Amino acid sequence: MRKYSGLFIVLGIMLVVIIIFAGYYNSFMSLEETVEGRWAEIENNLQRRADLIPNLVASVQGYVSHEAAVFTEIAQARSRLLGAEGVAGKVEASSALDSALGRLLMVVEQYPELKADRRFAELQDELAGTENRLSVARLRYNEAVTTYNARIRRFPGNIIAGLIGLERKDYFQIKEEAREVPRVEFK
Amino acid sequence: MRSLCKDRSGFLAFLLLLALLIVVPAGANADFRRFVTGYVNDHAGLLRPEEERELSALLADLDVQTTNQFIVVTLPGLPPGENLELFALRLAEAAQPGTAERDNGLLLLILSNERKIRVEVGTGLEEKITDGRAGRVIREVLAPAFQKEAYFSGIKEALEVFIHWVEPSYLPEGSAKAAFDFEEEEGPGVLFFLILFLLLTVFSTYTSRYQQRRWYKRGYSQRTMGPVFYPLTGNRNRPSSPFKGFGGGGFRGGNFRGGGGFRGGGASGGW
């Protein structure tokens, strides 16, 4: 028995290490799942907004057919967003679309008969609602990223995170100039 | 291991922060729940007591019959520094109307001094009360009535329209504003633009240098965790509310069942 005790101690330590490792690993995985789930929510809303745009443009088109440049710009920004990938890519494409939409809404301001159009008003509500959902999704995503990043950088989790190659996730940050543009004004 | 000592104190700080995180939302939550003690919470004094009772009875019956929990909150104004949409969302998250399975809660928030209205729609009702529909009720029902200071009739009619959309068979014949169903016709240009956008999308996809990688990445996350499926409806991934454990304080007739997820759907407006 005596000659095996060293072996048992080593095995015991290994077991403890494995259990600790598994605990950290599992918590990292579920935190990462949360981050990805919330990112999916952002993507849903970006997609939702992209789907709204053809309708919005079509309802504006009847009134302001001669403002072709804005429409081309929106169409391009929209297709860029649908083709964009990764957090950084999507953030950039989405703020390009934001500013294109902002320009469209500025054009719309000059057409009172369009602002009185019921269908257009409803589409604007849909757009504002999507923007609001997007900002909620962004908030929740950033919260999840904060938790995740903190967990993988704190001791002793950072050692385990380093071993399995986990990296910090990007926040969804919007540029200042993009922030103010697509708000729909209410009187 | 270099900065083990520093990391350990960091870890302690982290634990402390965690403890704070657990304590603070509970406090904030209690603060919000103060505003919501029943179906109708008229803190701004827009309704007479019997009007408040009538609306409460309507909403309590709706709750018992259909499990949909609609709540009305009127306030003079927002606490300083608050934003309407975020405040309404947090209020709804704290009160949690609706069931956890169906997320069928709705909050109608009215700010009398600021003359602002927010309809916050639970995740499960978003399909029936779309943002556009919510906005239309604000513009065409609530705002005109409130301009005439007819708060009770405005709120009642708005609630009836919402109920009509959510549970068409619930309201007795005649009281439902069936005529309010707005002809949601497609404009003539929609098809043309759909085709234009489709073409542009296809075009940009084919010219994308990352086409191959994109398809790879859609199905698989960066590390080999197996396929990750993003459901389009997104409900499965709804982040659970931090207040979940506190929901469901009882009051007259019904409970707020501590379910009701919200993600910012609805509309804002004013009068």
Side-chain angles (χ1 to χ4, degrees):
Chain A
M1 201 61 210
R2 167 121 340 148
K3 80 175 179 194
Y4 288 119
S5 65
L7 187 64
F8 281 129
I9 289 169
V10 171
L11 279 177
I13 290 172
M14 273 173 70
L15 195 70
V16 168
V17 167
I18 287 169
I19 288 169
I20 292 173
F21 183 88
Y24 273 97
Y25 182 83
N26 287 342
S27 80
F28 291 153
M29 289 303 111
S30 55
L31 285 175
E32 191 171 42
E33 274 301 298
T34 312
V35 171
E36 297 201 350
R38 294 185 183 188
W39 174 253
E41 183 71 28
I42 291 182
E43 289 203 323
N44 288 342
N45 283 307
L46 290 175
Q47 181 67 49
R48 200 186 133 95
R49 184 169 62 172
D51 293 342
L52 275 174
I53 287 170
N55 286 318
L56 188 75
V57 168
S59 75
V60 177
Q61 188 78 4
Y63 296 91
V64 286
S65 47
H66 54 280
E67 310 261 7
V70 187
F71 297 120
T72 322
E73 194 185 345
I74 288 180
Q76 277 167 354
R78 179 180 179 274
S79 60
R80 234 187 27 242
L81 177 65
L82 292 176
E85 56 174 303
V87 176
K90 296 239 169 173
V91 173
E92 207 197 312
S94 123
S95 46
L97 183 57
D98 281 352
S99 60
L101 273 178
R103 256 190 292 284
L104 175 68
L105 295 181
M106 252 152 63
V107 168
V108 165
E109 285 298 304
Q110 298 155 16
Y111 297 83
E113 70 273 31
L114 178 56
K115 281 165 73 184
D117 182 29
R118 245 175 151 192
R119 213 164 67 85
F120 179 70
E122 204 162 314
L123 282 166
Q124 269 197 318
D125 282 331
E126 296 278 351
L127 188 64
T130 306
E131 295 295 340
N132 189 44
R133 275 199 200 87
L134 194 57
S135 70
V136 171
R138 208 157 44 210
L139 204 78
R140 290 178 174 168
Y141 169 79
N142 285 343
E143 273 171 19
V145 169
T146 307
T147 316
Y148 175 82
N149 284 350
R151 275 309 288 275
I152 67 167
R153 294 180 70 204
R154 301 274 176 192
F155 180 82
N158 60 349
I159 297 167
I160 293 157
L163 280 176
I164 47 182
L166 297 179
E167 280 171 12
R168 294 175 65 184
K169 302 259 181 205
D170 292 335
Y171 287 97
F172 195 118
Q173 278 159 331
I174 35 173
K175 295 194 200 91
E176 280 303 320
E177 72 265 24
R179 187 166 298 169
E180 58 206 54
V181 179
R183 289 209 67 86
V184 178
E185 280 299 314
F186 295 106
K187 286 188 297 265
Chain B
M1 297 298 261
R2 282 161 285 139
S3 53
L4 193 130
C5 272
K6 210 177 131 211
D7 272 338
R8 185 161 289 163
S9 69
F11 185 65
L12 280 175
F14 175 64
L15 278 181
L16 201 75
L17 195 80
L18 227 113
L20 271 175
L21 278 176
I22 292 163
V23 172
V24 168
N29 187 29
D31 210 40
F32 275 108
R33 284 190 63 84
R34 189 164 50 88
F35 296 124
V36 185
T37 52
Y39 294 102
V40 180
N41 308 274
D42 184 23
H43 302 291
L46 301 178
L47 301 169
R48 286 201 300 274
E50 66 271 19
E51 294 172 339
E52 194 175 338
R53 272 198 299 279
E54 187 183 332
L55 291 178
S56 284
L58 172 74
L59 296 179
D61 191 58
L62 175 77
D63 182 7
V64 172
Q65 307 277 339
T66 68
T67 80
N68 295 288
Q69 286 180 328
F70 292 4
I71 53 180
V72 180
V73 178
T74 74
L75 292 172
L78 290 174
E82 287 281 356
N83 143 300
L84 175 66
E85 282 81 12
L86 206 58
F87 181 82
L89 178 74
R90 299 222 304 271
L91 190 58
E93 277 184 333
Q96 292 192 311
T99 66
E101 297 77 40
R102 294 177 62 195
D103 294 322
N104 50 356
L106 180 141
L107 165 72
L108 172 59
L109 175 66
I110 296 157
L111 302 171
S112 59
N113 289 346
E114 297 168 26
R115 301 170 87 83
K116 277 184 182 167
I117 305 165
R118 169 81 192 165
V119 179
E120 193 73 32
V121 180
T123 320
L125 299 180
E126 282 179 6
E127 299 226 325
K128 289 165 179 161
I129 305 173
T130 60
D131 301 345
R133 283 178 154 191
R136 191 147 54 85
V137 167
I138 292 175
R139 277 191 310 276
E140 298 176 17
V141 179
L142 290 170
F146 286 6
Q147 274 158 14
K148 288 179 277 180
E149 297 190 2
Y151 299 107
F152 170 70
S153 63
I155 294 171
K156 185 161 188 267
E157 192 181 334
L159 290 174
E160 280 176 354
V161 172
F162 288 139
I163 294 169
H164 170 67
W165 279 330
V166 174
E167 302 283 345
S169 57
Y170 172 76
L171 287 175
E173 280 301 312
S175 63
K177 287 261 165 182
F180 202 78
D181 278 331
F182 167 55
E183 57 302 337
E184 282 160 37
E185 88 288 354
E186 296 276 283
V190 173
L191 196 68
F192 170 74
F193 269 90
L194 270 173
I195 292 166
L196 178 77
F197 279 108
L198 210 76
L199 282 175
L200 267 159
T201 307
V202 169
F203 179 72
S204 77
T205 309
Y206 273 94
T207 51
S208 166
R209 286 187 296 132
Y210 300 112
Q211 196 204 352
Q212 294 273 324
R213 264 181 68 209
R214 207 179 121 222
W215 285 109
Y216 173 74
K217 273 199 168 174
R218 268 215 93 74
Y220 295 89
S221 68
Q222 277 87 332
R223 285 173 311 90
T224 52
M225 270 186 53
V228 174
F229 175 58
Y230 295 118
L232 268 175
T233 47
N235 251 355
R236 196 178 64 98
N237 284 317
R238 176 169 57 74
S240 61
S241 150
F243 306 124
K244 206 130 251 180
F246 302 95
F251 62 88
R252 291 174 270 176
N255 271 355
F256 286 159
R257 297 190 185 80
F262 289 84
R263 60 175 173 195
S268 318
W271 77 91

